[in-house]
Amino acid sequence: MMQTDISALRVVGAGVLIYELAKIAHPEVVEIGEGTQIDDFVFINGGNGVRIGRFNHIASFVSVVGSGELITGDYVGIAAGARIVTGTHHYGEGRRISPLIPEEDQCVLRGTIILEDDVFVGTNAIIHPDVTIGEGAIIGSGGLVLKDVEPWTINVGVPTRVIGHRPPVRTG
């Protein structure tokens, strides 16, 4: 029996495979394109909306948290343990940092993360809110992404920096 009821998803494409131990909170705002696979132990919080493109692979122990928005293109790979942080608490305005108190007493920053077509996010990478990772870019294992990433670049480090370029994907 599947933990996430596929019929509860807003949109689900043909051939989608969600393993039994994956968990999707707020599935009514989640769209998953055809041929996508979500492995065991993935946690996705639908938040303000999640749109996953076609033929994506989301590996074990990936989490999408923060109640913001995630949009992925097609052919995106997210490796084991990556963290997609669409929202976070902030100490600004003298507010408390706790999700257990009324929201008006918190300072929460929510945003949108966009992973364009053919992006690869390495093991244990962390992506913060309001970041676009350009088409074909690679984020190395353990990378911390705090700002937009240019297309077809290879990015590593904390915070990430460009160390090279990859050739565009050949089609046809």
Side-chain angles (χ1 to χ4, degrees), residues 10-25:
R10 184 167 183 222
V11 174
V12 61
V16 167
L17 176 58
I18 301 173
Y19 278 85
E20 180 178 355
L21 298 177
K23 171 95 172 138
I24 300 176

Side-chain angles (χ1 to χ4, degrees), residues 88-93 95-96 103 105-109:
T88 187
H89 282 85
H90 190 272
Y91 61 85
E93 303 171 10
R95 303 284 174 91
R96 291 199 163 90
E103 190 152 341
D105 294 331
Q106 304 174 43
C107 182
V108 180
L109 307 174

Side-chain angles (χ1 to χ4, degrees), residues 81-164:
R83 304 289 183 241
I84 311 297
V85 183
T86 63
T88 187
H89 282 85
H90 190 272
Y91 61 85
E93 303 171 10
R95 303 284 174 91
R96 291 199 163 90
I97 303 174
S98 172
L100 304 178
I101 59 177
E103 190 152 341
E104 61 270 11
D105 294 331
Q106 304 174 43
C107 182
V108 180
L109 307 174
R110 288 191 182 94
T112 299
I113 294 175
I114 299 171
L115 309 179
E116 294 183 351
D117 291 349
D118 294 299
V119 163
F120 179 77
V121 177
T123 298
N124 292 326
I126 302 170
I127 303 170
H128 276 246
D130 290 326
V131 165
T132 296
I133 298 180
E135 181 179 15
I138 294 172
I139 306 301
S141 295
L144 175 63
V145 183
L146 300 173
K147 62 181 183 175
D148 291 351
V149 173
E150 293 295 316
W152 304 107
T153 57
I154 301 168
N155 303 267
V156 300
V158 178
T160 54
R161 68 191 181 288
V162 176
I163 62 162

Side-chain angles (χ1 to χ4, degrees), residues 23-103:
K23 171 95 172 138
I24 300 176
H26 308 291
E28 68 279 2
V29 297
V30 175
E31 302 176 15
I32 302 176
E34 74 172 296
T36 288
Q37 178 177 311
I38 299 174
D39 292 349
D40 279 333
F41 309 112
V42 169
F43 177 75
I44 297 173
N45 180 341
N48 288 334
V50 171
R51 290 188 313 227
I52 298 170
R54 300 177 309 125
F55 304 103
N56 280 218
H57 177 237
I58 302 176
S60 295
F61 302 106
V62 167
S63 59
V64 178
V65 296
S67 295
E69 181 179 29
L70 170 65
I71 301 168
T72 76
D74 298 335
Y75 314 107
V76 170
I78 305 174
R83 304 289 183 241
I84 311 297
V85 183
T86 63
T88 187
H89 282 85
H90 190 272
Y91 61 85
E93 303 171 10
R95 303 284 174 91
R96 291 199 163 90
I97 303 174
S98 172
L100 304 178
I101 59 177
E103 190 152 341

